[in-house]
Amino acid sequence: QVQLVESGGGLVQPGGSLRLSCAASGLTVGIYAMSWYRQAPGKERELVATISSAGGRTNYADSVKGRFTISRDNAKDTVYLQMNSLKPEDTAVYFCNAKYQWSDYWGKGTLVTVSS
C-alpha cells in the first residue's frame, strides 16, 4: 500500500512555469513506474509523462514533449514534473500515479490553471 501526495499546483500565466511534486510513502518497493496524468473539466484523463523505476526511462505525451520534464529522487521517494512554456490548454487537475504489478494507486490531484 502506498500513499501519494501531489503539490505545486497553482495559477500561472501563459508561458510561465511550475514544478509539481509527488511524494510517495508506505510500501514503495514494487512500484514499476510512476506517471503524471491530467484531466480537464469534462475531458478524459490523459497520460502526460511516465518514468520507470528500474532504468529511469521516460515517455511524454506529444502535446507536452519539449516543454515538460519528469524526474525522480529515489532517496526521497518523490517524482517531479517540471512544466515550462505553459499554455492555457495545459489547465487541468494533475494526478500522480504509481503502478504495481496488480494495481495502480492515485493521488488526489493538484490543480494547475494557466490563464492571463
Side-chain angles (χ1 to χ4, degrees):
Q1 186 176 5
V2 68
Q3 296 79 44
L4 305 175
V5 179
E6 303 98 333
S7 62
L11 175 64
V12 64
Q13 293 184 339
S17 298
L18 284 174
R19 189 179 75 158
L20 306 183
S21 299
C22 174
S25 61
L27 296 178
T28 57
V29 175
I31 296 176
Y32 292 168
M34 297 194 69
S35 300
W36 287 97
Y37 288 74
R38 67 185 182 187
Q39 187 169 25
K43 305 297 182 180
E44 295 184 1
R45 188 171 298 186
E46 65 173 342
L47 176 64
V48 176
T50 186
I51 185 167
S52 66
S53 298
R57 183 175 181 176
T58 59
N59 192 268
Y60 299 91
D62 289 340
S63 59
V64 307
K65 194 172 299 182
R67 300 188 297 120
F68 291 11
T69 302
I70 187 170
S71 62
R72 68 185 184 190
D73 185 335
N74 290 332
K76 297 181 179 180
D77 282 337
T78 300
V79 175
Y80 304 95
L81 184 68
Q82 178 66 47
M83 305 184 296
N84 299 326
S85 302
L86 284 162
K87 305 174 181 179
E89 50 263 46
D90 295 319
T91 296
V93 177
Y94 284 72
F95 297 91
C96 183
N97 170 270
K99 180 179 290 295
Y100 292 78
Q101 181 176 7
W102 293 100
S103 60
D104 289 80
Y105 292 86
W106 297 86
K108 294 182 179 180
T110 185
L111 177 63
V112 173
T113 303
V114 184
S115 177
S116 59

